[in-house]
Amino acid sequence: MRTFFPSDSCKESQLNAINPQSWLQVERGKLSKFSSSHTTSSSIESFIKVPEPPVVPFFKPIDYVEVLAQIHEELESCSPQERSNLYLLQFQIFRGLGETKLMRRSLRSAWQKAGTVHERLVFGAWLKYEKQGEELIADLLATCNRCAQEFGPIDVVSQHPIKVNGSSQETAVMNGDQSLKNVNFRIGDEKIVCDRQKIASLSAPFHAMLNGYFTESLCEDIDLSENNISPLGMRTIGEFSMTGTLSEVPPDLLLEILVFANKFCCERLKDDCDRKLASLVCTKDDAVELMEYAIEENSPVLAASCLQVFLHELPDCLNDEQVAEIFSHADRQQRSIIVGQASFSLYCLLSEVAMNLDPRSDKTVCFLEQLIESAETDRQRLLAFHQLGCVRLLRKEYDEAERLFEAAVSLGHVYSIAGLARLSYIKGHKLWSYEKLSSVISSVNPLGWMYQERSLYCEGDKRWEDLEKATELDPTLTYPYMYRAASLMMKQNVQVALAEINRVLGFKLALECLELRFCLYLAIEDYKAAIRDVQAILTLSPDYRMFEGRVAASQLRTLVREHVDNWTTADCWMQLYDRWSSVDDIGSLSVIYQMLESGGAKGVLYFRQSLLLLRLNCPDAAMRSLELARQHASSEHERLVYEGWILYDTGHCEEGLRKAEESIKIKRSFEAFFLKAYALADSSLDLSCSSTVISLLENALKCPSDNLRKGQTQQLIATLMPLRSDTLEPIKALHVSIFSETIRLQHTRK
């Protein structure tokens, strides 16, 4: 979930919020500045705020290993039709763990194992949505058919099996006049002559009308003026009865015939109209108009074609009220027409997109209600109940949220108790919240979030102990570090407070933790450190807003920079060298951010930025920097290297390898050889490739580059040299996996 889910604050768990305008006035000289001798707890309070952790809308089982193992077993024994839903559940679990790569792998598996065209459409659109950053390089990915096959439109018509002609009727005449070979259909003043038995074969109703015990079976002329079919439409139907196909028919006439065919149960005719109309859907406006007909006339091929257009334009299409209305108010039968048996998957996707756009919106609520209605298993229901409970909590619809959380808990989702505890606290029952969490902790194998949640409902040493236990059980939780750092700062323990927040920033670059450290540095007027952090924040998220979204980070940077000496270009390179050598990644990001403002070789700088961001496990920001490096490349061979890394980082090693080779043909460069070595190690299963890789790295060392990159490469070669020995067969047999891991552990791309 991209959107940060804010929560209603526990008043006693938070420090007072900063008034940004007051601080801006201080910095403009309108108020006296804080001095170190007057840095009291009250002045620090005005800078520092630690929001309580949100109740996130994720599936969070008690035992991840057990649930994942169970899914794995089910995948081995389930029918092909069940696999996509199991991969979707796997995706939801990985999302709760924050494992982006594993999430995408599960989505890709769901797409690859899709048993219906609807599942293929939904999961293909979901993959495209999850990789929105790759739309910036669509022109590059389009050159490789393997790169974006799930993103492109599929031929919906060919994916739907043609219906067997089970509705054609025997031409035996039961009561009709056998001498009547033709039948004349009158529409207004016009008469359309048709073959009686060919028309009778179109459907059971026509067969009964023309050959059965109805009056029409004895009539040569039959009036169809009241059946909403035009003379041209009836002539076209007559031709179809003779040939079995529709010739070139304009869209309006196709719609007219579709309605008529559905009314008279002419399945072959209806299917042909359905398919021809489906092939005409090109734009969102087409899809909006034709989806109404598809639902009304039960035309699944046309509906699927319209669905594809809507999903291809996510998330923008959900801002169209007509599109949102179609999805929001579809009943069970309409959902079946729109998306077949993939209703739960579709509304999982739509709910996520809507929550990312605005988790409080009515649209989000409608999609989640549809998700509940579409759920078929208890695991699907508990996820849907919990997600809607989170949204209701956010909208302050407390009674409804409580009902939903209770439903999720009854189905086995223990994490939903966190939602019930928040609601109880809001209603003034703080002790109940504490006791409820205590009961959970004593009844199951406790997890970090349980102690973190319970800490919100106690004070003093008890809170501190719970937060320490939360960190012990789950070091990735950021709230305990932030609360302890803020509390220590309030007690004037500046260095201990900084050391505490540095603990988490040492392995997890969380924006909220960087923001808190920025505030700590402001409170002690360490502006050099403060500008380092705000520039790192802006690198990760250029539009980031601080202090609960009230002040743009870029504005604060401008103000803080007035208190910091300007660096020359030479100073910047020296600072970058020092920070890069000492593996101060946040400091390096800050220096590069400043260097980019002053011009220079932006392609190289953006590339360096991407390497740092990858090391800090920020793949989306890294991809953005790589694309900027490509845009600012100073030469063709440099651009090819950046394109190679883009392809490699999006899972296309072989294509990345080809880009490296193209670059080397133009000019032998360190980065091109390094890219080729890196991509070859990951894409080749040839046991002899270790020698080739080392040779490529040695060629890289012969090319001009800075000492940092060369030093790391020399270390890597020294590490991998034993792999060249023919006498070390066991090592040689494992060289591919060892080499790949060594590269990652030694951060050689950095």
Side-chain angles (χ1 to χ4, degrees):
M1 196 72 60
R2 293 178 177 83
T3 302
F4 170 71
F5 254 70
S7 55
D8 291 316
S9 301
C10 289
K11 296 177 183 177
E12 296 180 13
S13 74
Q14 296 192 1
L15 303 173
N16 291 334
I18 184 175
N19 179 347
Q21 296 306 319
S22 298
W23 189 79
L24 296 181
Q25 289 177 346
V26 170
E27 292 307 309
R28 293 188 178 99
K30 296 179 182 178
L31 299 174
S32 59
K33 285 181 13 177
F34 300 124
S35 65
S36 58
S37 62
H38 291 90
T39 307
T40 63
S41 62
S42 61
S43 66
I44 293 172
E45 272 190 58
S46 68
F47 282 91
I48 301 169
K49 179 180 180 181
V50 180
E52 66 184 36
V55 180
V56 292
F58 302 148
F59 180 25
K60 297 173 78 71
I62 293 295
D63 190 334
Y64 284 96
V65 175
E66 180 183 353
V67 175
L68 288 170
Q70 184 180 355
I71 293 172
H72 183 78
E73 290 180 5
E74 291 178 26
L75 282 168
E76 290 186 332
S77 59
C78 71
S79 66
Q81 292 75 23
E82 297 175 290
R83 284 179 184 160
S84 286
N85 277 334
L86 286 170
Y87 281 120
L88 175 57
L89 179 63
Q90 190 183 73
F91 162 83
Q92 298 289 357
I93 293 170
F94 287 140
R95 190 173 70 169
L97 289 168
E99 293 289 343
T100 303
K101 288 185 178 180
L102 294 177
M103 287 163 53
R104 291 185 177 179
R105 189 187 68 182
S106 295
L107 275 184
R108 181 173 286 276
S109 295
W111 174 72
Q112 291 172 336
K113 302 297 182 181
T116 67
V117 63
H118 299 103
E119 288 181 341
R120 194 169 181 83
L121 288 174
V122 170
F123 291 115
W126 206 331
L127 279 168
K128 179 176 181 290
Y129 176 71
E130 287 291 325
K131 296 183 177 184
Q132 286 181 83
E134 292 186 15
E135 291 175 359
L136 299 173
I137 54 166
D139 57 329
L140 173 60
L141 295 181
T143 64
C144 307
N145 291 331
R146 287 180 53 201
C147 289
Q149 56 184 329
E150 71 270 28
F151 297 167
I154 66 175
D155 185 353
V156 170
V157 175
S158 66
Q159 295 284 324
H160 272 83
I162 297 175
K163 293 181 180 178
V164 177
N165 182 18
S167 61
S168 60
Q169 303 299 313
E170 296 293 332
T171 58
V173 179
M174 293 179 289
N175 192 49
D177 187 342
Q178 298 185 32
S179 65
L180 299 176
K181 184 177 185 301
N182 294 329
V183 59
N184 302 322
F185 291 110
R186 292 193 176 277
I187 300 173
D189 296 331
E190 294 195 44
K191 181 173 71 174
I192 298 91
V193 180
C194 299
D195 186 297
R196 177 179 288 269
Q197 298 311 319
K198 293 293 186 182
I199 293 293
S201 69
L202 290 178
S203 71
F206 270 127
H207 184 270
M209 176 194 296
L210 300 176
N211 293 330
Y213 296 98
F214 289 89
T215 304
E216 288 85 353
S217 66
L218 302 174
C219 298
E220 186 174 0
D221 293 344
I222 299 175
D223 190 354
L224 290 182
S225 299
E226 303 300 322
N227 287 278
N228 297 317
I229 188 72
S230 66
L232 180 57
M234 197 63 221
R235 286 193 188 91
T236 306
I237 293 170
E239 291 173 7
F240 177 85
S241 71
M242 301 293 291
T243 64
T245 60
L246 288 170
S247 56
E248 294 298 322
V249 181
D252 290 345
L253 191 58
L254 280 172
L255 287 171
E256 181 184 309
I257 296 172
L258 175 69
V259 174
F260 182 88
N262 191 46
K263 180 177 180 179
F264 285 91
C265 304
C266 304
E267 295 302 326
R268 288 186 297 120
L269 176 61
K270 178 185 171 184
D271 185 63
D272 215 17
C273 287
D274 192 6
R275 292 171 182 277
K276 285 191 174 295
L277 284 166
S279 66
L280 299 176
V281 182
C282 298
T283 67
K284 185 182 68 178
D285 290 339
D286 293 339
V288 168
E289 179 182 357
L290 292 174
M291 182 64 91
E292 182 180 349
Y293 282 95
I295 293 171
E296 187 68 27
E297 307 303 331
N298 190 10
S299 301
V301 186
L302 176 57
S305 186
C306 295
L307 177 65
Q308 175 168 236
V309 171
F310 293 148
L311 295 181
H312 186 72
E313 295 190 17
L314 285 175
D316 294 340
C317 75
L318 292 189
N319 293 320
D320 187 312
E321 291 303 320
Q322 290 178 293
V323 175
E325 184 77 13
I326 289 170
F327 291 125
S328 298
H329 298 100
D331 59 26
R332 185 181 187 86
Q333 181 181 357
Q334 290 169 341
R335 290 196 300 269
S336 177
I337 295 169
I338 293 171
V339 71
Q341 300 302 309
S343 182
F344 185 80
S345 303
L346 171 65
Y347 283 99
C348 266
L349 169 58
L350 296 178
S351 299
E352 176 162 335
V353 175
M355 282 191 278
N356 290 335
L357 291 172
D358 181 4
R360 293 182 175 87
S361 69
D362 293 340
K363 196 180 305 176
T364 301
V365 172
C366 287
F367 291 158
L368 286 169
E369 288 175 340
Q370 291 278 27
L371 185 66
I372 291 173
E373 290 184 17
S374 302
E376 296 179 349
T377 67
D378 284 348
R379 289 186 299 202
Q380 290 178 346
R381 290 186 190 95
L382 71 82
L383 172 65
F385 283 134
H386 178 72
Q387 288 189 330
L388 185 52
C390 290
V391 170
R392 295 288 190 190
L393 175 60
L394 207 58
R395 288 161 59 100
K396 303 185 189 301
E397 297 167 356
Y398 299 135
D399 291 340
E400 186 63 18
E402 184 175 13
R403 182 187 67 80
L404 290 160
F405 284 134
E406 286 175 346
V409 172
S410 70
L411 292 169
H413 194 230
V414 176
Y415 178 66
S416 294
I417 289 174
L420 292 173
R422 298 290 175 99
L423 289 165
S424 181
Y425 178 80
I426 290 168
K427 295 177 180 180
H429 307 299
K430 182 177 178 181
L431 180 60
W432 185 94
S433 299
Y434 183 85
E435 291 176 346
K436 187 65 175 177
L437 267 300
S438 298
S439 174
V440 173
I441 289 170
S442 63
S443 61
V444 300
N445 188 26
L447 301 175
W449 69 260
M450 299 175 184
Y451 285 97
Q452 175 179 272
E453 187 66 25
R454 192 174 72 169
S455 74
L456 302 177
Y457 314 115
C458 55
E459 302 297 332
D461 291 342
K462 283 187 176 181
R463 172 175 285 190
W464 197 275
E465 289 171 7
D466 275 355
L467 290 174
E468 288 286 1
K469 188 66 176 178
T471 299
E472 177 187 333
L473 293 171
D474 187 352
T476 65
L477 295 172
T478 59
Y479 174 78
Y481 300 98
M482 295 174 69
Y483 179 85
R484 289 191 294 261
S487 299
L488 289 165
M489 194 68 181
M490 292 288 294
K491 298 175 183 178
Q492 306 291 306
N493 293 332
V494 178
Q495 295 307 316
V496 181
L498 288 170
E500 180 63 31
I501 199 64
N502 286 339
R503 286 174 63 192
V504 65
L505 285 172
F507 67 89
K508 185 175 183 178
L509 192 60
L511 285 169
E512 63 271 20
C513 295
L514 272 176
E515 179 179 349
L516 177 61
R517 192 169 73 173
F518 169 80
C519 293
L520 297 181
Y521 284 131
L522 282 187
I524 61 174
E525 298 185 358
D526 186 347
Y527 296 120
K528 288 183 179 179
I531 200 166
R532 176 198 63 196
D533 283 353
V534 76
Q535 288 182 163
I537 287 171
L538 288 167
T539 299
L540 289 167
S541 180
D543 299 323
Y544 190 77
R545 298 186 68 84
M546 303 172 76
F547 305 125
E548 297 185 308
R550 286 179 286 179
V551 184
S554 57
Q555 186 179 6
L556 289 173
R557 175 187 176 271
T558 300
L559 295 168
V560 174
R561 191 174 180 182
E562 296 175 5
H563 301 272
V564 179
D565 294 335
N566 290 325
W567 288 342
T568 65
T569 301
D571 292 334
C572 287
W573 279 108
M574 290 180 63
Q575 292 289 337
L576 180 59
Y577 187 91
D578 291 343
R579 283 161 171 72
W580 197 290
S581 300
S582 60
V583 200
D584 176 8
D585 293 337
I586 296 176
S588 297
L589 282 178
S590 177
V591 174
I592 289 175
Y593 185 93
Q594 191 162 330
M595 294 172 76
L596 284 166
E597 280 199 332
S598 60
K602 288 193 173 184
V604 173
L605 291 172
Y606 278 122
F607 179 59
R608 282 299 182 100
Q609 191 180 75
S610 76
L611 301 178
L612 287 166
L613 290 166
L614 279 176
R615 183 154 69 189
L616 291 165
N617 195 28
C618 302
D620 292 338
M623 182 57 66
R624 184 174 62 243
S625 296
L626 263 180
E627 170 59 17
L628 288 169
R630 176 182 175 240
Q631 291 176 12
H632 291 88
S634 60
S635 63
E636 176 71 7
H637 72 85
E638 183 183 332
R639 181 182 61 79
L640 287 168
V641 169
Y642 302 150
E643 289 180 352
W645 281 120
I646 289 169
L647 289 166
Y648 176 86
D649 286 339
T650 52
H652 309 292
C653 297
E654 293 180 6
E655 289 79 3
L657 186 61
R658 285 201 294 269
K659 291 289 183 181
E661 291 168 347
E662 290 177 34
S663 179
I664 292 170
K665 287 179 182 178
I666 297 173
K667 182 177 179 180
R668 296 166 64 88
S669 69
F670 176 91
E671 295 298 351
F673 277 115
F674 194 89
L675 168 60
K676 185 174 181 179
Y678 201 94
L680 182 62
D682 246 13
S683 63
S684 176
L685 297 178
D686 186 350
L687 293 180
S688 65
C689 98
S690 58
S691 296
T692 305
V693 168
I694 294 173
S695 176
L696 289 168
L697 293 174
E698 289 173 340
N699 283 331
L701 290 175
K702 297 174 184 177
C703 301
S705 183
D706 58 72
N707 291 332
L708 286 175
R709 297 282 277 161
K710 285 193 172 183
Q712 291 171 337
T713 305
Q714 288 168 337
Q715 291 176 7
L716 177 61
I717 291 174
T719 303
L720 298 176
M721 268 305 218
L723 295 177
R724 273 186 160 172
S725 173
D726 293 334
T727 63
L728 298 177
E729 286 301 323
I731 298 177
K732 188 175 181 181
L734 294 172
H735 79 277
V736 173
S737 59
I738 292 173
F739 176 66
S740 182
E741 275 304 303
T742 303
I743 286 180
R744 285 164 175 75
L745 292 174
Q746 299 221 2
H747 312 299
T748 57
R749 280 196 61 193
K750 282 65 72 183

